[in-house]
Amino acid sequence: MADVANESIQQVLAALNVFSGKPDKESLEKANAWLQTFQHAVTHDIHQLDASQRAGLRDTLITAIQKYATGPRAVLIQLCLALSGLALQMKEWDNPVLDLINVLGQNPVTVPALLLFLTVLPEEVAGNTRIPMSTEEFRAQEAQLLTANGSEVLKLLTMYSQAPGITTAVQSQVFKCLRSWLQTGEVVPSMIADTPLFQLAFDGLAYEELFDSAIDVLCGLIHETQEIHDNMDVIQALIPRLITLRPMLTAAFAADDSDKVRGYCRLFTEAGETYRLLILQHPETFFQIVEAIGECAAYHDLDIVPITFHFWFRLAQSIGKKPDVPKPFLDAYGALMAVIIKHLHFPSNPETMTPQERDDFRGFRHIMGDTLKDCCYVLGTDGCLLTTYEMITQALAKGSAGQPVSWQDIEAPLFSMRSMGAE
């Protein structure tokens, strides 16, 4: 049986040799197939090798990672995944993380490869359910690989982020690696808040190349503070920094920069969902989050608007049907209702839509109808229906006065009345 695993090892070595040259399309396809076969072998067949063979495979993979540190990236990812799978199953390897830091972390050329390995390692450990290990074995290896190294990895990322001359590419990798360890729970928000990485994540939003990875880190950081009482110090540090981002959202909105609007929308919505009870308890501090999400909901890109829907639903459920709902919340849901009805309008020339686009838009209108029901839950159905009725009568009055009125101005409120009437 060990011959099968050894054959896979030889195949991946042959694949790496192919990538070293100038391969034709057929050779590339064959090499990629070998790499995939090797991934399968590491997952399922590694136990067939004895300790010396496993050590040899480990050394071969580390050497290959050093060789392909600058690419091709697809090869480097496969190698890091394979080494992560090997590290999880190779119990005799005392500290893979520390060993890789020592081997790859001193040379600027191989630092990106180290960061990639450290990024995929927790993801592979948490997500690879195919590895044949008992629950007890897995937990022991997880503790050895991740839990024991969380603080060390955080120190390393902090050091790299402050290194003179750090490139935005490496800084982006630092953020991605940080998010990976944060998501698996091996690095917690309070640990990050005590490092310069906390402020650096906010600073990264000002750079085009870092924006997406910084948003991911901050969303992950906010998400992991769900245990409010345990993370109040972190939350108190987060909120002022978050509020200062509102002008950046407004600027992205004005510039019609949909990528930036999407990122800020994700960030504020994550904060809104996580801190919705704090929003209700301390609106003087947190209500600006609601206002920012309201801006996002008003954006014209209907791929971005739905990011906010779950927040409005959860906030409405938290508010409940109470007669003493604070006015700012009533105003927020009143503005949201008007925005959603505007989004319900068909294009001025619907004939330009393809059949698929028409079907997609019709389906999306029903989803928006659910958000209108959330508005009714807070505002009361009667008041919402009266508001839409007034929209219709105003449109009809304009038409009677000879002013231009489109059929969409009447159809959208009618559609909303049908949705809200079901509440």
Side-chain angles (χ1 to χ4, degrees):
M1 296 292 286
D3 290 341
V4 176
N6 275 320
E7 182 181 350
S8 294
I9 295 170
Q10 295 305 315
Q11 285 181 336
V12 79
L13 292 175
L16 293 174
N17 286 331
V18 168
F19 283 110
S20 295
K22 295 181 178 179
D24 55 31
K25 182 179 179 181
E26 183 179 351
S27 298
L28 276 174
E29 290 176 352
K30 189 173 184 180
N32 278 318
W34 282 343
L35 287 173
Q36 292 173 11
T37 300
F38 183 62
Q39 280 292 100
H40 183 276
V42 169
T43 299
H44 297 284
D45 302 330
I46 203 67
H47 63 281
Q48 299 171 8
L49 301 179
D50 60 32
S52 63
Q53 289 173 317
R54 289 194 294 270
L57 175 58
R58 175 196 63 198
D59 295 343
T60 298
L61 285 172
I62 292 174
T63 300
I65 287 174
Q66 289 175 298
K67 182 176 181 180
Y68 294 95
T70 58
R73 182 172 172 79
V75 175
L76 187 59
I77 290 173
Q78 292 284 350
L79 291 172
C80 288
L81 287 170
L83 190 60
S84 297
L86 179 62
L88 181 58
Q89 297 182 83
M90 193 172 172
K91 300 175 187 176
E92 65 273 21
W93 191 1
D94 290 334
N95 198 328
V97 171
L98 185 59
D99 288 348
L100 267 293
I101 290 174
N102 290 333
V103 172
L104 302 175
Q106 312 305 317
N107 185 346
V109 175
T110 55
V111 164
L114 170 64
L115 291 172
L116 180 59
F117 170 75
L118 292 176
T119 300
V120 303
L121 176 65
E123 295 170 356
E124 186 71 3
V125 170
N128 193 341
T129 58
R130 303 181 304 276
I131 292 179
M133 297 178 72
S134 68
T135 301
E136 292 74 17
E137 289 175 324
F138 172 81
R139 286 176 178 169
Q141 286 298 98
E142 181 183 39
Q144 178 180 329
L145 280 172
L146 303 181
T147 308
N149 288 295
S151 296
E152 192 63 35
V153 168
L154 196 56
K155 289 178 185 176
L156 182 78
L157 297 179
T158 301
M159 181 188 72
Y160 284 148
S161 67
Q162 295 182 302
I166 182 175
T167 64
T168 53
V170 171
Q171 184 65 66
S172 180
Q173 278 195 280
V174 167
F175 287 156
K176 290 175 182 177
C177 185
L178 179 60
R179 178 174 180 259
S180 182
W181 284 74
L182 184 62
Q183 281 186 314
T184 56
E186 304 301 340
V187 169
V188 298
S190 59
M191 295 168 64
I192 298 173
D194 289 334
T195 73
L197 291 168
F198 185 76
Q199 182 59 45
L200 285 171
F202 283 94
D203 295 342
L205 298 174
Y207 299 90
E208 197 75 33
E209 302 88 344
L210 300 178
F211 183 81
D212 289 339
S213 55
I215 286 289
D216 287 341
V217 166
L218 292 171
C219 285
L221 185 63
I222 290 169
H223 185 78
E224 295 302 323
T225 60
Q226 291 182 79
E227 299 296 332
I228 301 296
H229 295 295
D230 296 337
N231 291 286
M232 188 54 72
D233 289 344
V234 180
I235 295 170
Q236 288 176 339
L238 273 168
I239 294 303
R241 289 171 171 83
L242 191 63
I243 297 304
T244 61
L245 299 178
R246 280 202 65 193
M248 298 170 73
L249 167 63
T250 303
F253 199 107
D256 199 16
D257 187 338
S258 58
D259 291 336
K260 291 285 178 65
V261 173
R262 182 188 301 275
Y264 288 123
C265 183
R266 286 180 53 211
L267 185 58
F268 280 106
T269 301
E270 184 67 55
E273 291 189 33
T274 304
Y275 306 139
R276 69 189 183 283
L277 295 182
L278 290 174
I279 291 171
L280 290 170
Q281 294 164 3
H282 306 285
E284 70 283 354
T285 300
F286 291 87
F287 193 75
Q288 286 195 58
I289 295 174
V290 179
E291 293 175 333
I293 298 171
E295 279 192 72
C296 298
Y299 194 58
H300 66 84
D301 189 335
L302 297 187
D303 287 331
I304 294 175
V305 173
I307 296 173
T308 70
F309 286 173
H310 195 239
F311 162 75
W312 296 115
F313 167 74
R314 297 189 73 183
L315 182 63
Q317 294 300 309
S318 297
I319 291 174
K321 291 183 176 179
K322 299 177 181 179
D324 58 346
V325 178
K327 187 176 184 301
F329 294 94
L330 294 174
D331 291 344
Y333 275 92
L336 176 65
M337 183 179 70
V339 160
I340 294 298
I341 293 174
K342 181 179 178 182
H343 288 323
L344 287 172
H345 283 61
F346 273 94
S348 57
N349 188 9
E351 290 77 14
T352 61
M353 302 173 74
T354 66
Q356 185 62 52
E357 288 172 338
R358 282 196 294 271
D359 289 343
D360 290 344
F361 184 66
R362 289 191 184 103
F364 183 55
R365 294 178 98 211
H366 288 286
I367 296 173
M368 289 192 286
D370 291 337
T371 302
L372 286 173
K373 293 176 185 176
D374 298 331
C375 296
C376 291
Y377 194 76
V378 174
L379 301 172
T381 303
D382 291 347
C384 291
L385 290 174
L386 179 60
T387 298
T388 53
Y389 173 74
E390 290 173 349
M391 290 181 181
I392 296 170
T393 56
Q394 288 171 7
L396 291 174
K398 286 174 63 177
S400 299
Q403 299 178 38
V405 176
S406 69
W407 62 266
Q408 290 93 335
D409 291 334
I410 297 174
E411 190 276 339
L414 282 172
F415 181 91
S416 71
M417 291 180 74
R418 185 176 68 175
S419 298
M420 291 186 291
E423 171 57 30

